[in-house]
C-alpha cells in the first residue's frame, strides 16, 4: 500500500509540471535545480551500497568532481530467542564521485566507492574492506519551466544506469544474520530513476523515486530488488560567490527478498523510513556538505537487524 501511495504522489507531481526555470546570476552554484536529492541506490542494510541513501549529486554543484565519506551504524541479533545478544555493525565508505554534462539535457553521474566495514561477533570483531561496485547513471531533463515569472517553477528528469560487479562478493558472509556485510554484490544491477523539483523563489521541494533490478551473481546469490523514495524541502541563500542550502526531509527504502539457487531466503526483505537534515555551503568553485539520517520506522530482515543512524560529509569542485 505504501508503494502505491508513493506512485500516486509521483503521478500527481508529473501532472502538475508545467513551466521553465532559469537562474541568471554569476554564482557558480546556481544550477542546483538539476540535482538528484539525497537518495542513492543501495542494498539492504547498506551492504555494498553505492551511496547508502546519501545521493547521486551535489545540492549546489550541477557539474562537479569530489570526494565523499559516509557512515552507517547498525546492530544485528545473533540467535533465535528474544534474549539473544545484539552486536554492533559499522559500515564506512569513501567515494570518488562526479557529475558531467554530455549534452544540454543529459548529465552522467559516476561513483567509485571504497568500503571498510566492521562488526562484532561472538568470537570477536570482524572486518572487510575493498573497492565496491562502480555505478554510472544518466539523467535526461524531460521538462523544465519556460518563464521566470511563473508562480512555481518545475523540473522533471528521467534516467537509468548500471552497477558493475567490481566489488568482491563473499559467499560465506551472505549466510550471516546481516547478509549485506559485503563490499560488492557480485552482480550486474540496473537502475531506473525519476526526479521532480518544484520551487517558489528561494524555497523548494525535491522528490524522487527509483527502482533497482538486481541479478544473480556467479555464486547463485541474488539480492532482492529495491525501491527508494525521498522528499526534501530546501532553501537557497546566495550572495555574490557564496551560497548555502539548508534542507529537511525524509527518505525510504523497500527491499524484496534475497534468493540463493532460485530459493527465496527467509527474513531478507524489509523496509525503513528515515528523517533527514543537512546543509551544503559553497564559495567560489568549492562546496562542502553534511547530512544526518535517523530512522523513524523500520522492519529489516524480520527484525533481526536495526539501523541506528547514517551521516555523510562531502567536498566538491564545480566544473
Amino acid at each position: 500500500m505504501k508503494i502505491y501511495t508513493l506512485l500516486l504522489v509521483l503521478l500527481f507531481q508529473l501532472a502538475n509540471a508545467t513551466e521553465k526555470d532559469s537562474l541568471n546570476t554569476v554564482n557558480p552554484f546556481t544550477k542546483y535545480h538539476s540535482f538528484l536529492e539525497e537518495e542513492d541506490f543501495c542494498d539492504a542494510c547498506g551492504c555494498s551500497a553505492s551511496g547508502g541513501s546519501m545521493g547521486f549529486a551535489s545540492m549546489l554543484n550541477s557539474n562537479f568532481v569530489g570526494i565523499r565519506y559516509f557512515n552507517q551504524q547498525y546492530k544485528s541479533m545473533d540467535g533465535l530467542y528474544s534474549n539473544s545478544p545484539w552486536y554492533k555493525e559499522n559500515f564506512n565508505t569513501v567515494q570518488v564521485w562526479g557529475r558531467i554534462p554530455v549534452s544540454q539535457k543529459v548529465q552522467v553521474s559516476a561513483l567509485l566507492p571504497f568500503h571498510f566495514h566492521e562488526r562484532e561477533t561472538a568470537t570477536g570483531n570482524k572486518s572487510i574492506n575493498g573497492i565496491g561496485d562502480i555505478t554510472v547513471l544518466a539523467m535526461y531533463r524531460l521538462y523544465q519551466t519556460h518563464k521566470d515569472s511563473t508562480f512555481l517553477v518545475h523540473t522533471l528528469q528521467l534516467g537509468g544506469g548500471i552497477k558493475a560487479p567490481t566489488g568482491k562478493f563473499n559467499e560465506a558472509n551472505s549466510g550471516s544474520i546481516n547478509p549485506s556485510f559485503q563490499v560488492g554484490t557480485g552482480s550486474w544491477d540496473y537502475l531506473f530513476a525519476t526526479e521532480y523539483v518544484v520551487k517558489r523563489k528561494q524555497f523548494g521541494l525535491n522528490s524522487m523515486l527509483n527502482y533497482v533490478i538486481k541479478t544473480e551473481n556467479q555464486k547463485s546469490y541474488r539480492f532482492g530488488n529495491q525501491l527508494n523514495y525521498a522528499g526534501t524541502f530546501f532553501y537557497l541563500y546566495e550572495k555574490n560567490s557564496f551560497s548555502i542550502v539548508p534542507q529537511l526531509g525524509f527518505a525510504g527504502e523497500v527491499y524484496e527478498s534475497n534468493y540463493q539457487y532460485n530459493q527465496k531466503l527467509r527474513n531478507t526483505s524489509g523496509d525503513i523510513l528515515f528523517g533527514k537534515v543537512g546543509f551544503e555551503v559553497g564559495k567560489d568553485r568549492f562546496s562542502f556538505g553534511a547530512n544526518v539520517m535517523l530512522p523513524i520506522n523500520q522492519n529489516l530482515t524480520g527484525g533481526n537487524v536495526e539501523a541506528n543512524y547514517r551521516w555523510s560529509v562531502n567536498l566538491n569542485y564545480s566544473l
Side-chain angles (χ1 to χ4, degrees):
M1 180 60 70
K2 289 188 288 186
I3 295 177
Y4 296 139
T5 302
L6 291 167
L7 293 174
L8 288 174
V9 170
L10 180 65
L11 291 173
F12 174 80
Q13 292 172 334
L14 300 185
N16 286 277
T18 54
E19 311 271 325
K20 185 173 186 177
D21 182 19
S22 71
L23 297 172
N24 299 316
T25 111
V26 297
N27 192 321
F29 302 115
T30 54
K31 296 180 181 179
Y32 72 102
H33 57 271
S34 63
F35 63 83
L36 259 176
E37 169 57 18
E38 291 311 312
E39 183 66 18
D40 198 7
F41 313 98
C42 67
D43 298 304
C45 306
C47 91
S48 48
S50 298
S53 295
M54 292 297 184
F56 253 97
S58 165
M59 194 70 154
L60 285 173
N61 313 78
S62 179
N63 305 304
F64 68 95
V65 292
I67 190 168
R68 173 168 61 170
Y69 165 79
F70 51 89
N71 174 270
Q72 304 175 75
Q73 296 288 328
Y74 297 88
K75 63 179 182 179
S76 60
M77 184 174 64
D78 188 9
L80 301 176
Y81 306 103
S82 60
N83 62 348
S84 296
W86 287 84
Y87 294 105
K88 295 180 181 178
E89 299 179 329
N90 183 22
F91 292 80
N92 302 275
T93 300
V94 175
Q95 185 180 77
V96 177
W97 65 333
R99 190 170 192 178
I100 300 173
V102 295
S103 71
Q104 185 178 2
K105 292 188 176 183
V106 178
Q107 292 177 316
V108 175
S109 297
L111 302 95
L112 173 59
F114 182 87
H115 302 293
F116 47 107
H117 305 331
E118 51 187 35
R119 67 178 175 186
E120 299 174 343
T121 71
T123 57
N125 292 345
K126 182 178 181 180
S127 62
I128 56 174
N129 62 77
I131 293 175
D133 295 336
I134 295 175
T135 303
V136 178
L137 175 73
M139 294 297 291
Y140 175 77
R141 192 176 69 233
L142 184 66
Y143 194 84
Q144 197 172 43
T145 48
H146 297 290
K147 297 180 181 179
D148 294 335
S149 58
T150 56
F151 184 77
L152 294 175
V153 292
H154 312 263
T155 302
L156 173 65
Q157 295 192 108
L158 301 175
I162 191 168
K163 182 180 70 62
T166 51
K168 181 181 179 181
F169 173 80
N170 189 325
E171 187 176 11
N173 289 340
S174 67
S176 63
I177 294 297
N178 187 349
S180 296
F181 190 70
Q182 304 279 354
V183 297
T185 62
S187 62
W188 290 90
D189 300 336
Y190 305 97
L191 299 67
F192 301 93
T194 181
E195 177 213 31
Y196 172 71
V197 182
V198 59
K199 296 181 296 179
R200 169 61 178 164
K201 295 183 178 179
Q202 305 305 102
F203 292 91
L205 170 66
N206 174 281
S207 58
M208 61 78 58
L209 187 70
N210 65 68
Y211 190 72
V212 187
I213 298 175
K214 303 176 186 180
T215 66
E216 186 176 86
N217 61 28
Q218 294 182 344
K219 301 294 185 179
S220 299
Y221 194 95
R222 181 173 72 83
F223 286 91
N225 295 344
Q226 181 173 335
L227 173 75
N228 302 303
Y229 59 91
T232 303
F233 293 95
F234 61 89
Y235 175 81
L236 173 67
Y237 172 81
E238 299 176 288
K239 187 172 184 180
N240 300 323
S241 62
F242 175 80
S243 300
I244 183 169
V245 183
Q247 54 194 276
L248 179 68
F250 64 91
E253 301 160 1
V254 181
Y255 317 110
E256 298 178 15
S257 296
N258 299 349
Y259 282 78
Q260 189 167 29
Y261 300 109
N262 293 320
Q263 298 296 314
K264 181 187 292 187
L265 300 177
R266 294 182 56 193
N267 294 330
T268 54
S269 62
D271 60 86
I272 187 168
L273 175 65
F274 288 97
K276 60 182 182 178
V277 61
F279 69 90
E280 193 160 3
V281 295
K283 181 70 169 67
D284 297 323
R285 289 192 174 272
F286 288 93
S287 68
F288 172 81
N291 288 275
V292 175
M293 302 174 67
L294 299 174
I296 298 172
N297 184 61
Q298 60 181 302
N299 179 25
L300 302 175
T301 64
N304 294 319
V305 174
E306 290 187 4
N308 292 328
Y309 57 84
R310 300 175 182 176
W311 63 274
S312 74
V313 292
N314 64 269
L315 179 65
N316 298 330
Y317 179 78
S318 181
L319 299 176

